[in-house]
Amino acid sequence: MKNNGTQTIETRRLLLRKLNISDAQQMFDNWASDDEVTKYMRWKSHKDIETTKAVINMWLKEYEKDDVYRWVIVLKETGELAGAIDVVNFNKEEKAAYAGYCLSKKHWNKGIMTEALKNVIGYLFKEDGIEKVKSWHHIDNPASGKVMEKSGMKFTETKKDGDVDNNGNPCDISVYEICK
């Protein structure tokens, strides 16, 4: 397994690239401040732009490591930021990566996250020697499971108290994976 980190990925409609501090306003406006978008995330929505800037500054420092994979999703047609996708964890023994993502509500149900996830999976398999990509969603968020299925992932299990919600409470999750 090699670590190439966050490299730019171009798809038919999307540009997946590293975040910049200049992305803060769009990130805040388009998804980070939206309670509906963050409802099933581990983190609460941002109440002000300063929170978003602080998060981006922390992530910019993390980009210095070669095992950080975090992309902002840019719509090529308009240049608008639609969301983010990243590798949230690795299991080196299994050569497995765990993907996480969020998308602006106005871009739901347009195939954008499926396109992004498929291409991130392909990148991890081809460029980094990853053998398996896994992801999970809160059981009350089946739309996220549809994204995983459309990206070629298969449901493997439901884990009781498998994660925590953005209030720190244990929650049940549905787990998916795809093997190289």
Side-chain angles (χ1 to χ4, degrees), residues 14 54 67 69 78 83 87 105 119 135 154 165-166:
L14 310 173
D67 64 346
Y69 298 79
T78 63
V87 173
K105 185 171 44 188
N119 282 275
S135 195
K154 303 287 184 222
D165 65 19
N166 63 12

Side-chain angles (χ1 to χ4, degrees), residues 140-154:
D140 293 336
N141 187 16
S144 189
K146 296 286 186 218
V147 168
M148 293 171 203
E149 288 173 354
K150 289 177 183 176
S151 299
M153 301 178 94
K154 303 287 184 222

Side-chain angles (χ1 to χ4, degrees), residues 42 47 51 60 65 68 74 76 79 91 94 99 117 125 138 140 151 154 159 165 177:
R42 288 180 172 175
K47 299 304 176 204
T51 302
L60 291 174
K65 297 183 258 174
V68 170
V74 182
K76 286 180 7 182
N91 180 322
E94 284 187 353
L117 181 57
F125 284 164
H138 189 291
D140 293 336
S151 299
K154 303 287 184 222
K159 285 187 175 180
D165 65 19
E177 70 178 40

Side-chain angles (χ1 to χ4, degrees), residues 82-100:
I85 184 167
D86 60 341
V87 173
V88 297
N89 201 0
F90 284 104
N91 180 322
K92 293 188 191 266
E93 293 79 35
E94 284 187 353
K95 292 186 178 179
Y98 294 79

Side-chain angles (χ1 to χ4, degrees), residues 9 11-16 30-31 71-78 80-85 101-120 143 146-148 150-151:
I9 301 171
T11 75
R12 186 175 62 80
R13 299 181 295 166
L14 310 173
L15 182 67
L16 308 180
N30 294 354
W31 71 88
W71 296 269
V72 66
I73 301 166
V74 182
L75 304 178
K76 286 180 7 182
E77 186 176 312
T78 63
E80 180 182 3
L81 304 188
I85 184 167
Y101 49 80
C102 62
L103 187 68
S104 168
K105 185 171 44 188
K106 79 181 204 178
H107 296 297
W108 289 356
N109 301 309
K110 296 179 181 177
I112 290 169
M113 191 53 73
T114 300
E115 186 174 332
L117 181 57
K118 278 183 180 179
N119 282 275
V120 166
K146 296 286 186 218
V147 168
M148 293 171 203
K150 289 177 183 176
S151 299

